Amino acid sequence: MAHRGAESTTTFLEDYVDSLSGLPNDLRRLVELMRDLDKEGTSVSKELEDTEKKVLSELKKRQRQTGNLGDYTAVKEDIAAKRRRAEQMVDEKVQVSEQMVDLCDVHLTRLQQDIRRFEDYLRANGEYSAGVASAGDQVAVQVEEEWILGRVWEYDIAAGVYTVGDEDEAEKTFQVSDAHIIRLEQLKLSKGEEVLAVYPDTTSFYPAIVTSVSRKMGGALAGDSSFCTVQFHDDEDDSGINPDRSVKILHIIRPPDEGN
């Protein structure tokens, strides 16, 4: 790849588009192979099922008529062969699926590398100003091992550092990198999903599990915000019941990856 120092935005885009030129054909080939394997696998499975039903019926009939099953070694071998073929179809489909994932991963890795190079190019030309969040945004900020509600005051582009105010104590601020900040947004959650949510009447995030998805609570209840219900870990009352608690979806984040 050519040196990026003096390249324009167009060059980055053109390079990446060129790298994708063979991707649709490669994916199409794998999808078609998957379809053929699925079709053959369905046929083999149906044939196996029909054979087993037929053999079972014949053996029951023979048992009633003669009192013994007789020699059905050849039939057993035929059934075993069909089962092996069905299992082979499954294994081949798994291998094709893995090839599809690997193919996409290669291009995603290339995209991530180009994005980093593009950011370096923009920084070198004084054009890079994007961060995880902007001044005024409400965020989740990691302070030591705890995540709390905060609000971005400013972002130092050169240092890559945010100044974030504690939503509970406005005079308290933190200097953090983007690895320790998450901009809050309306997530699309699923029932049973593990999350970090702000416990009612606090500004701290705690582990919880979603028990119901988005619903609206209007008027006096927080200005028409979307809410969901969660159960916080270790939140049982005296009777041992863990209650559902209503939380703004804006006050829910997904647990960051280890090391973030």
Side-chain angles (χ1 to χ4, degrees):
M1 184 178 296
H3 177 62
R4 298 292 189 182
E7 290 183 1
S8 66
T9 303
T10 304
T11 305
F12 282 94
L13 180 59
E14 289 175 347
D15 283 353
Y16 188 69
V17 170
D18 287 344
S19 76
L20 294 176
S21 59
L23 181 59
N25 290 333
D26 292 338
L27 281 177
R28 185 183 301 111
R29 176 180 59 81
L30 291 173
V31 169
E32 290 175 352
L33 178 56
M34 176 73 78
R35 182 185 59 195
D36 292 342
L37 288 171
D38 189 61
K39 183 177 180 180
E40 183 179 356
T42 300
S43 176
V44 171
S45 296
K46 181 66 168 58
E47 184 179 351
L48 174 61
E49 181 181 359
D50 292 344
T51 300
E52 289 178 334
K53 287 181 178 179
K54 181 179 179 181
V55 170
L56 183 60
S57 176
E58 291 177 351
L59 290 176
K60 288 181 177 179
K61 181 179 179 181
R62 187 182 302 172
Q63 177 71 24
R64 288 194 302 269
Q65 293 176 345
T66 66
N68 64 79
L69 299 178
D71 184 9
Y72 59 99
T73 302
V75 175
K76 287 196 298 184
E77 291 177 350
D78 181 51
I79 291 176
K82 287 183 171 64
R83 285 179 175 172
R84 287 193 297 271
R85 182 55 182 158
E87 292 171 355
Q88 182 182 355
M89 292 291 96
V90 173
D91 290 340
E92 290 180 9
K93 287 168 65 177
V94 170
Q95 291 174 10
V96 172
S97 298
E98 291 173 346
Q99 290 177 36
M100 294 172 70
V101 171
D102 291 342
L103 180 62
C104 292
D105 281 346
V106 167
H107 287 275
L108 286 174
T109 299
R110 166 70 187 275
L111 176 59
Q112 291 168 348
Q113 292 171 345
D114 276 358
I115 287 174
R116 285 194 292 269
R117 293 190 184 100
F118 189 34
E119 289 177 354
D120 291 341
Y121 167 77
L122 292 176
R123 285 192 179 97
N125 288 274
E127 300 174 12
Y128 185 82
S129 60
V132 173
S134 303
D137 285 348
Q138 192 177 52
V139 296
V141 57
Q142 187 179 28
V143 181
E144 297 181 351
E145 299 299 320
E146 183 181 12
W147 287 88
I148 64 173
L149 276 178
R151 193 169 298 275
V152 176
W153 285 17
E154 62 181 11
Y155 177 52
D156 186 334
I157 298 174
V161 173
Y162 290 87
T163 299
V164 180
D166 187 335
E167 285 283 73
D168 194 37
E169 301 179 55
E171 69 280 0
K172 184 184 294 185
T173 62
F174 310 96
Q175 305 289 320
V176 296
S177 68
D178 57 8
H180 300 283
I181 190 173
I182 298 174
R183 186 170 64 86
L184 300 180
E185 57 186 353
Q186 293 281 353
L187 299 176
K188 185 175 181 180
L189 300 169
S190 301
K191 185 177 180 180
E193 185 174 356
E194 290 284 345
V195 296
L196 295 178
V198 175
Y199 195 89
D201 299 322
T202 77
T203 56
S204 296
F205 290 81
Y206 295 95
I209 185 169
V210 177
T211 55
S212 71
V213 293
S214 177
R215 57 193 177 90
K216 292 285 187 178
M217 296 180 69
L221 292 176
D224 296 323
S225 295
S226 293
F227 283 68
C228 72
T229 59
V230 303
Q231 288 183 351
F232 288 90
H233 295 190
D234 303 319
D235 191 35
E236 293 83 3
D237 58 21
D238 292 340
S239 61
I241 296 175
N242 194 341
D244 285 350
R245 299 191 185 275
S246 184
V247 178
K248 282 185 181 181
I249 292 181
L250 275 176
H251 289 173
I252 293 176
I253 60 174
R254 292 191 169 92
D257 294 335
E258 290 296 325
N260 281 1

